[in-house]
Amino acid sequence: MEVKTFGVIGSGQMGNGIAQVAAMSGIQVIMNDISQEFVQKGLDNITSILNRGVKKGKMTDVDKNDILSRIKLSTNIGDMKSADFVVEAATENEPIKFKIFQDLDRICPSHAILSTNTSSIPIGRIAGQTHRPEKIIGMHFMNPVPVMKLVEVIRGLATSDETFQTTWDLSIAFGKTPAEANDFPGFIANRILMPMINEAVFCLYNGVGKKEDIDTVMKLGMNHPMGPLALADLIGLDTCLAIMETLYDGFKDSKYRPCPLLRKYVEVGWLGRKTGRGFYEYS
Ligand code: CAA
């Protein structure tokens, strides 16, 4: 299936990154969120990243303006009526995502594929909110989207081969490398990553090491680009907690219990970079 118009629901950290890579691949993009302030903030972020690219000589001003001209801002989900493919990158909250998928199912043309960037909510549960479960799929980008090469493509039980192939091909068109996963809690990426981050928080909680030492061990000892506590701050501690809860609820296995310290940080509002404080402080 040819994708001419690509819709993105949510213009936050993930949504604006996805809109950027889509527009860079040459297709028309509609970036939607609930307020003008949010979509403008998303566009400002894309503009500043592209400006950095121009400064470094990676693209010209003309390229930058071409890319930006392909991104249409929207605060009305009804605009998705012209989308062939939509990725939902709203907040990681089931009732919000369910409502978005019910709306998209009603609004989008019958051929449109509706994908979700969820980090852990089952694809089947989202598909159950629509009348087109064969056209529902997970398209899970990594943060920061313009830099990270992976897209995890997740098949739900009812996802058709055509939907899978279109999503796979689109990921490649966006300059990414797709990997296939099935619909289990956390899929592949977060099934492996989050217990590691959670264990790093336990190391801090139990006094095994200071935060800087925990991160240094993983950076220099295992060649990770950043330590697990710094990475948790980048992802958002609320997101990390939500994913651990999904793993714990989904498997009913105590090895996935979230560290109490992670919960304490979230309760007090230390969510990482986005709030200026997580395990580290950010100015
Ligand atoms: N947006 C766009 N570009 C960015 C960026 C951002 N937020 N942050 C960094 N970059 C770009 C920089 O501009 C720079 O580009 P050039 O090479 O063209 O100059 C490049 O990335 C490298 O940046 P820096 O030199 O500033 O910093 P770095 O080398 O330390 O890299 C990093 C930063 C890419 C974040 C790196 O530390 C890294 O890969 N960290 C691990 C990230 C990771 O694990 N992400 C997955 C999180 S899990 C997830 O997303 C899934 C989920 O469901 C929770």
Side-chain angles (χ1 to χ4, degrees):
M1 190 186 97
E2 197 191 350
V3 178
K4 288 191 183 140
T5 303
F6 181 78
V8 184
I9 304 289
S11 60
Q13 182 166 261
M14 298 304 286
N16 73 62
I18 298 168
Q20 181 190 326
V21 296
M24 288 176 77
S25 80
I27 59 176
Q28 297 298 321
V29 177
I30 306 169
M31 182 168 75
N32 170 280
D33 210 318
I34 53 174
S35 76
Q36 189 58 34
E37 185 198 338
F38 289 172
V39 285
Q40 191 56 51
K41 207 170 151 199
L43 187 66
D44 291 347
N45 193 52
I46 296 172
T47 309
S48 81
I49 291 169
L50 295 179
N51 279 336
R52 232 186 303 163
V54 172
K55 239 188 209 158
K56 286 179 184 165
K58 290 190 169 176
M59 65 176 75
T60 64
D61 245 332
V62 175
D63 297 333
K64 178 192 86 177
N65 291 330
D66 261 5
I67 294 164
L68 291 173
S69 73
R70 284 193 283 273
I71 304 175
K72 186 180 147 206
L73 301 185
S74 151
T75 54
N76 175 4
I77 197 167
D79 292 336
M80 293 298 159
K81 65 178 183 298
S82 54
D84 305 303
F85 193 112
V86 179
V87 61
E88 167 277 318
T91 181
E92 196 68 3
N93 170 300
E94 267 196 20
I96 291 175
K97 289 197 192 284
F98 285 179
K99 169 79 170 66
I100 290 170
F101 273 86
Q102 289 158 8
D103 289 347
L104 289 174
D105 191 33
R106 195 170 23 82
I107 292 160
C108 294
S110 58
H111 71 268
I113 291 174
L114 309 180
S115 73
T116 173
N117 183 56
T118 181
S119 39
S120 61
I121 298 172
I123 305 305
R125 214 181 291 167
I126 292 174
Q129 303 301 313
T130 72
H131 298 98
R132 57 177 98 189
E134 73 289 353
K135 292 192 183 302
I136 308 297
I137 192 162
M139 192 179 196
H140 185 208
F141 292 81
M142 304 293 127
N143 183 16
V145 178
V147 182
M148 304 304 284
K149 284 279 172 221
L150 176 71
V151 174
E152 195 178 20
V153 180
I154 306 120
R155 280 181 191 268
L157 197 59
T159 307
S160 71
D161 288 343
E162 192 198 356
T163 298
F164 179 81
Q165 198 57 51
T166 303
T167 310
W168 188 268
D169 294 346
L170 199 58
S171 307
I172 294 169
F174 288 176
K176 305 295 183 193
T177 300
E180 179 180 353
N182 285 316
D183 194 12
F184 283 81
F187 318 128
I188 297 173
N190 283 317
R191 172 89 172 260
I192 298 171
L193 175 68
M194 280 304 153
M196 184 197 71
I197 288 177
N198 194 48
E199 206 56 38
V201 185
F202 266 113
C203 284
L204 185 66
Y205 181 59
N206 296 148
V208 182
K210 295 194 290 295
K211 58 179 184 275
E212 294 83 359
D213 294 307
I214 294 166
D215 277 352
T216 298
V217 165
M218 297 307 287
K219 266 198 309 190
L220 302 187
M222 284 77 190
N223 246 355
H224 290 195
M226 62 205 298
L229 300 174
L231 181 56
D233 280 354
L234 175 73
I235 294 167
L237 303 195
D238 51 341
T239 303
C240 294
L241 179 61
I243 296 169
M244 286 311 296
E245 301 276 25
T246 303
L247 291 172
Y248 188 51
D249 290 346
F251 292 113
K252 304 279 187 282
D253 186 332
S254 65
K255 77 176 174 180
Y256 298 114
R257 72 206 179 288
C259 177
L261 188 64
L262 179 61
R263 197 181 297 286
K264 272 177 188 280
Y265 272 60
V266 172
E267 280 168 358
V268 84
W270 293 346
L271 306 183
R273 287 193 190 192
K274 62 186 166 188
T275 58
R277 175 155 190 185
F279 293 107
Y280 296 90
E281 288 185 42
Y282 303 87
S283 51

